[in-house]
Amino acid sequence: MTASPAVAILQSSSTNFNSSFYTSLYSSSLLRLHSSRRPLPEVFGQKSISKAGERYNIRAAKVYSLRAEEQRVIQEEAPQMLDTFPSFEFSPGLAHPLGVSEVESGINFAIFSQHASAVTLCIILPKSIHDGVIELALDPQKNRTGNIWHICIKELPQGDVLYGYRIDGPRNWHEGHRFDNSIILIDPYAKLIEGRRAFGDNSSKMCRFLGTYDFNSLPFDWGENYKLPNILENDLVIYEINVRAFTADETSGLDLNQRGSYLGLIEKIPHLLELGVNAVELLPVFEFDELEFQRRPNPRDHMINTWGYSTMNFFAPMSRYASCGGGPVGASREFKEMVKALHGAGIEVILDVVYNHTNEADDENPYTTSFRGIDNKVYYMMDLNNNAQLVNFSGCGNTFNCNHPVVMELILESLRHWVTEYHVDGFRFDLASVLCRGADGTPINAPPLVKAIAKDSVLSRCKIIAEPWDCGGLYLVGKFPNWDRWAEWNGKYRDDIRRFIKGDAGMKGNFATRIAGSADLYRVNKRKPYHSVNFVIAHDGFTLYDLVSYNSKHNDANGEGGNDGCNDNFSWNCGIEGETSDANINALRSQQMKNFHLALMVSQGTPMMLMGDEYGHTRYGNNNSYGHDTAINNFQWGQLEARKNDHFRFFSKMIKFRLSHSVLRKENFIDKSEVTWLEDNWFNEESRFLAFMLHDGNGGDIYLAFNAHHFSVKTAIPSPPRNRSWYRVDISHQKIQIMIKNISSSVYCISWEGIQDQLATYLLQNQCSNQAYHRKTMQIYPCIQARI
């Protein structure tokens, strides 16, 4: 059976089938009609072709321009143009799967829209086949099943086809509808997105984006010996990384066409191995528009979104992370090559995913690309008591309606796609408390989506990590609905560690609780210490260097008058705000950075660090640097080389020390037999000294002493187990190679030494040997000095 959708074809004056064509196509405000022999410049249009006669009624409409008031509709008669139209056969198609699929009868298109009254499929073919746009108006009687609109096209090319939808429906704003059939919309289920080819290319900042597909390429070759790392959660050391910023700087030494790409990251895997991390958490790699701030005049129109927390599509890898402008197909292939290479090095891949909002902004200045125009009332939360305005629990203008059944299935299908197609190992969910809200924003105790993710069979091997808060105040640290599967970014760990090490009063008990695994938060049901993702630093907020160099944020460059970014940083500048040539201040800052890293690496739970902290990267006090495609965010490889023999060496050896000693990576919460607290001063608010021993059950102990006072503390060294002695191992500077090679299994004492001297970490190993450490006491010097 053959359906007869209305077909409209317009020709473009563009001579190249590339991103410059899309730019002019979408930003033109001029509309003219031409015969088939004369190309129509820079326009999408719509034509209704009648079979009743030799003349055709044509309605052409401008689809997108900078200003809505510039849009206009023209009606006129045109001569027959069938001589250059491509010939296709159509059938009603299938309602499932959503998106584009290759079926026996052709290429099937299916899209959900519950409230739409009209859906038009728009297709751009390769120029070698046809230079123009085909528009297919779907018949609701033949091409709709329930709320899904669909069509199948026979003999459509298997690749190099761009497509989108124009959708119309009720214009009742107060009911939540935002239909606008002048805009070509991205299919939410598109697996690839075509847009500009070069990251940050200002000449195409008004470029629009369309879906595409690739049924031509052979399946990716993962290799005969390929296997997933399958690292246990209690063994993870996570490295948070921005794909572009990691190699975008010229100091990366990479070819210009490879910088800031998936392939560029592959080239730096040796650095990850030398550092010792075994998992990377990639900042968003779903397609986003890095030039979204520049589409209209505003205080942020100088910014380039380099973090990517502005998702345009949940299935497509960021196409401008492909090397050499390789586009969406190249990006898909190179992403897989990156995952394969990381897995080959024993490194897992965790994606930072943003399902709490999209790029489409707010009702005041919307950037409609997909969901808003397809079915706003389904995809977004809104306040029906306030003219159906979008609610904003994300801080970005809109909030995705995650627990609506249709939206929930979209998110689940997206996650499964990244696991099955790209072999990723886990996900960190940005502002995950949004996933715990109903359609009206009310918190839900057992949110369906969160449960479905925890119970899904495809996702069962994945690490799933929540950022358990949102911008609406739903703070769920330690209380995120988890089904014993979900881990959490432990914001309380970050705050308590920062406050103790900088010397705040009354923090010793909280500090002890955090480094012992935060049992007060996570010892519930079958939850484990590794469900606490411990971090001192993350992408948003100060870098580690800035944490010890700035008392206040310095965000003027962001264009928001310093009003953006967190004000509660619990930082201390060590005496001088910002950069200084004072050697004592710089030495103290170096010591403090090591103190933070040491505390992180000896804490029970899952440690996470930020890229660049291994050499002391600075953003010069900017604690919200999402919009700077510069050295503020870019990894500085030259600085790494300059600090490899000191700062980097310490960071690397502490990571490897952690991974070498299972007593620091307990699967279960430590009980009384596994720890000895060497304390009798718990309730003294002024006490800033903490010492304790961890026992591995085999006669080995780790002794830890932390001194955050401004003066030294003399403490007794506990007696070693029978027939054993203490040994000091120094993880600082040049002694590290010799001492690390000479240590064996498990028993150490760790302390911080020296205000005037460089920080030393002492590891006292007790074992049967003639070279014993015989001192009965040791001086634990302060980890910070009096404030200046």
Side-chain angles (χ1 to χ4, degrees):
M1 175 177 171
T2 300
S4 302
V7 180
I9 302 179
L10 293 182
Q11 291 185 299
S12 167
S13 62
S14 170
T15 59
N16 296 314
F17 188 71
N18 59 24
S19 59
S20 63
F21 166 63
Y22 312 139
T23 304
S24 63
L25 182 65
Y26 285 107
S27 60
S28 168
S29 59
L30 174 65
L31 181 65
R32 296 195 301 270
L33 291 179
H34 295 263
S35 73
S36 62
R37 298 295 184 184
R38 298 177 58 197
L40 174 66
E42 306 179 350
V43 187
F44 272 139
Q46 185 182 40
K47 303 175 185 175
S48 179
I49 301 177
S50 171
K51 294 183 179 180
E54 296 182 357
R55 297 183 64 83
Y56 297 81
N57 294 322
I58 301 174
R59 179 180 181 275
K62 177 71 181 68
V63 299
Y64 186 85
S65 63
L66 295 180
R67 297 180 181 276
E69 59 266 24
E70 294 177 359
Q71 299 179 14
R72 51 201 179 99
V73 175
I74 301 174
Q75 291 188 351
E76 55 183 276
E77 296 291 312
Q80 183 175 358
M81 297 192 294
L82 292 178
D83 54 336
T84 61
F85 291 173
S87 175
F88 295 111
E89 292 184 21
F90 310 96
S91 64
L94 306 172
H96 295 284
L98 292 173
V100 178
S101 56
E102 188 178 29
V103 296
E104 184 176 352
S105 55
I107 304 297
N108 192 78
F109 297 82
I111 188 171
F112 166 90
S113 182
Q114 177 180 345
H115 297 101
S117 60
V119 174
T120 299
L121 173 64
C122 303
I123 297 175
I124 301 177
L125 298 174
K127 184 176 172 60
S128 60
I129 299 176
H130 179 75
D131 187 11
V133 179
I134 299 171
E135 297 196 352
L136 309 173
L138 305 189
D139 185 339
Q141 301 301 317
K142 299 177 181 179
N143 300 101
R144 182 173 184 174
T145 302
N147 295 319
I148 298 176
W149 303 70
H150 45 82
I151 186 173
C152 185
I153 306 175
K154 189 175 181 179
E155 297 182 356
L156 199 63
Q158 294 179 307
D160 296 326
V161 174
L162 305 186
Y163 77 100
Y165 292 91
R166 293 208 287 162
I167 298 180
D168 206 355
R171 301 301 175 97
N172 303 326
W173 182 286
H174 66 281
E175 294 180 358
H177 300 302
R178 305 291 188 270
F179 289 106
D180 183 349
N181 68 349
S182 71
I183 302 174
I184 305 295
L185 302 167
I186 298 170
D187 176 7
Y189 279 80
K191 302 305 187 294
L192 301 171
I193 301 295
E194 177 70 83
R196 72 180 67 87
R197 289 295 180 96
F199 190 93
D201 180 7
N202 192 262
S203 66
S204 61
K205 66 182 180 182
M206 297 307 296
C207 173
R208 294 286 295 186
F209 296 79
L210 291 173
T212 186
Y213 57 83
D214 175 29
F215 298 122
N216 286 320
S217 298
L218 295 174
F220 183 76
D221 182 10
W222 290 96
E224 291 184 6
N225 299 320
Y226 169 81
K227 62 180 181 179
L228 300 170
N230 288 325
I231 299 171
L232 297 175
E233 287 187 79
N234 56 303
D235 291 337
L236 286 178
V237 178
I238 300 173
Y239 185 75
E240 194 183 26
I241 184 172
N242 181 323
V243 170
R244 174 167 173 80
F246 196 46
T247 63
D249 197 82
E250 62 181 358
T251 60
S252 68
L254 301 182
D255 181 81
L256 180 62
N257 289 322
Q258 206 172 42
R259 295 176 198 165
S261 69
Y262 302 122
L263 296 187
L265 193 151
I266 294 176
E267 295 298 316
K268 297 302 182 180
I269 289 178
H271 169 71
L272 302 177
L273 294 175
E274 185 179 7
L275 180 59
V277 298
N278 56 24
V280 291
E281 184 173 300
L282 306 181
L283 264 65
V285 292
F286 297 0
E287 186 72 29
F288 64 92
D289 181 2
E290 72 277 12
L291 296 180
E292 61 183 357
F293 305 130
Q294 301 186 21
R295 298 183 66 85
R296 61 179 179 83
N298 69 91
R300 297 189 294 166
D301 59 13
H302 62 292
M303 306 266 274
I304 296 177
N305 187 343
T306 60
W307 285 2
Y309 290 88
S310 196
T311 305
M312 181 175 286
N313 173 277
F314 297 116
F315 292 85
M318 176 59 172
S319 60
R320 285 167 301 291
Y321 288 171
S323 64
C324 305
V329 175
S332 177
R333 181 184 64 254
E334 293 178 8
F335 188 97
K336 294 173 185 175
E337 291 176 7
M338 176 190 69
V339 173
K340 179 180 177 179
L342 287 165
H343 283 177
I347 299 172
E348 291 198 336
V349 179
I350 299 170
L351 302 187
D352 191 336
V353 292
V354 187
Y355 293 109
N356 63 82
H357 75 283
T358 75
N359 68 297
E360 295 188 300
D362 56 18
D363 280 327
E364 183 177 357
N365 294 294
Y367 177 21
T368 303
T369 58
S370 183
F371 309 98
R372 179 182 173 92
I374 293 171
D375 207 328
N376 184 79
K377 192 171 183 178
V378 168
Y379 284 111
Y380 292 109
M381 297 183 194
M382 60 194 67
D383 185 357
L384 294 177
N385 295 319
N386 184 26
N387 199 30
Q389 292 295 308
L390 296 176
V391 297
N392 184 17
F393 295 124
S394 68
C396 297
N398 63 70
T399 308
F400 219 43
N401 191 12
C402 298
N403 286 297
H404 185 287
V406 170
V407 183
M408 183 172 76
E409 186 58 29
L410 169 75
I411 294 172
L412 289 169
E413 284 296 319
S414 165
L415 294 169
R416 294 170 189 141
H417 176 70
W418 287 97
V419 172
T420 57
E421 183 72 15
Y422 293 101
H423 292 201
V424 303
D425 304 288
F427 305 92
R428 176 266 187 189
F429 292 79
D430 182 65
L431 298 182
S433 288
V434 165
L435 279 58
C436 302
R437 294 182 182 271
D440 62 353
T442 303
I444 305 173
N445 291 329
L449 175 60
V450 174
K451 179 180 180 180
I453 292 171
K455 300 294 185 180
D456 190 87
S457 59
V458 175
L459 307 178
S460 61
R461 72 167 182 85
C462 295
K463 282 75 177 177
I464 50 176
I465 304 168
E467 183 184 34
W469 52 81
D470 63 20
C471 294
L474 188 56
Y475 190 76
L476 296 175
V477 172
K479 297 178 290 185
F480 191 85
N482 57 81
W483 285 271
D484 298 324
R485 281 270 284 126
W486 284 81
E488 301 175 15
W489 268 25
N490 189 345
K492 292 185 177 180
Y493 178 96
R494 173 199 59 205
D495 296 345
D496 290 346
I497 298 298
R498 288 184 179 190
R499 294 187 64 192
F500 177 83
I501 289 181
K502 80 184 185 75
D504 283 1
M507 293 306 300
K508 183 171 73 171
N510 286 356
F511 179 76
T513 300
R514 298 296 157 244
I515 62 176
S518 295
D520 62 324
L521 300 175
Y522 301 108
R523 197 168 194 167
V524 179
N525 298 328
K526 295 181 181 180
R527 302 195 85 182
K528 304 291 185 178
Y530 53 73
H531 287 132
S532 170
V533 176
N534 300 330
F535 66 103
V536 178
I537 301 297
H539 66 276
D540 50 354
F542 282 143
T543 65
L544 187 58
Y545 178 88
D546 290 355
L547 184 68
V548 301
S549 303
Y550 294 89
N551 285 346
S552 304
K553 65 183 182 183
H554 296 262
N555 293 2
D556 291 342
N558 298 351
E560 299 187 52
N563 294 317
D564 64 309
C566 182
N567 295 316
D568 301 320
N569 298 291
F570 303 118
S571 62
W572 176 49
N573 64 18
C574 295
I576 295 177
E577 186 75 356
E579 296 298 303
T580 179
S581 59
D582 188 304
N584 291 328
I585 296 293
N586 286 329
L588 178 56
R589 289 174 176 175
S590 176
Q591 176 180 312
Q592 283 289 77
M593 286 189 283
K594 293 175 182 177
N595 291 337
F596 281 115
H597 185 64
L598 187 149
L600 179 64
M601 290 302 150
V602 300
S603 295
Q604 302 295 327
T606 302
M608 183 190 77
M609 63 175 291
L610 176 66
M611 80 171 202
D613 282 347
E614 67 267 38
Y615 67 81
H617 183 84
T618 182
R619 296 174 182 158
Y620 304 99
N622 192 324
N623 74 349
N624 194 29
S625 62
Y626 63 92
H628 299 281
D629 190 32
T630 66
I632 288 178
N633 282 314
N634 292 345
F635 196 99
Q636 299 299 295
W637 294 92
Q639 292 182 28
L640 171 68
E641 289 301 316
R643 296 166 186 171
K644 266 208 166 180
N645 291 328
D646 174 18
H647 189 99
F648 174 82
R649 182 187 296 277
F650 182 89
F651 274 54
S652 173
K653 295 304 180 182
M654 276 308 307
I655 292 171
K656 293 170 183 176
F657 173 69
R658 174 186 177 83
L659 292 175
S660 299
H661 298 87
S662 60
V663 72
L664 299 174
R665 299 176 283 107
K666 303 287 287 185
E667 181 178 357
N668 297 305
F669 289 97
I670 55 178
D671 58 31
K672 292 180 179 180
S673 67
E674 296 173 306
V675 61
T676 299
W677 297 101
L678 304 171
E679 288 296 321
D680 57 8
N681 208 12
W682 285 109
F683 302 105
N684 183 350
E685 291 286 302
E686 297 304 315
S687 176
R688 296 173 173 85
F689 178 80
L690 177 67
F692 63 97
M693 293 173 61
L694 294 174
H695 313 293
D696 70 359
N698 296 312
D701 299 331
I702 296 181
Y703 171 88
L704 304 100
F706 299 87
N707 182 18
H709 282 293
H710 303 151
F711 51 84
S712 61
V713 173
K714 190 175 184 179
T715 185
I717 299 174
S719 298
R722 185 178 179 182
N723 298 324
R724 290 177 177 262
S725 301
W726 289 113
Y727 288 86
R728 190 178 96 170
V729 179
D730 189 351
I731 297 190
S732 68
H733 210 44
Q734 289 139 13
K735 294 182 182 178
I736 186 66
Q737 289 183 327
I738 298 173
M739 302 308 292
I740 287 293
K741 287 179 181 177
N742 287 342
I743 64 176
S744 58
S745 56
S746 61
V747 190
Y748 299 91
C749 164
I750 301 178
S751 67
W752 290 332
E753 166 119 9
I755 278 302
Q756 286 75 32
D757 300 327
Q758 181 177 340
L759 171 72
T761 299
Y762 295 105
L763 309 180
L764 297 190
Q765 175 184 19
N766 59 52
Q767 63 178 20
C768 299
S769 174
N770 294 325
Q771 298 179 342
Y773 188 78
H774 295 296
R775 292 177 60 184
K776 301 298 184 184
T777 64
M778 86 183 321
Q779 199 83 355
I780 308 297
Y781 291 93
C783 61
I784 59 174
Q785 66 181 16
R787 289 172 172 74
I788 299 173

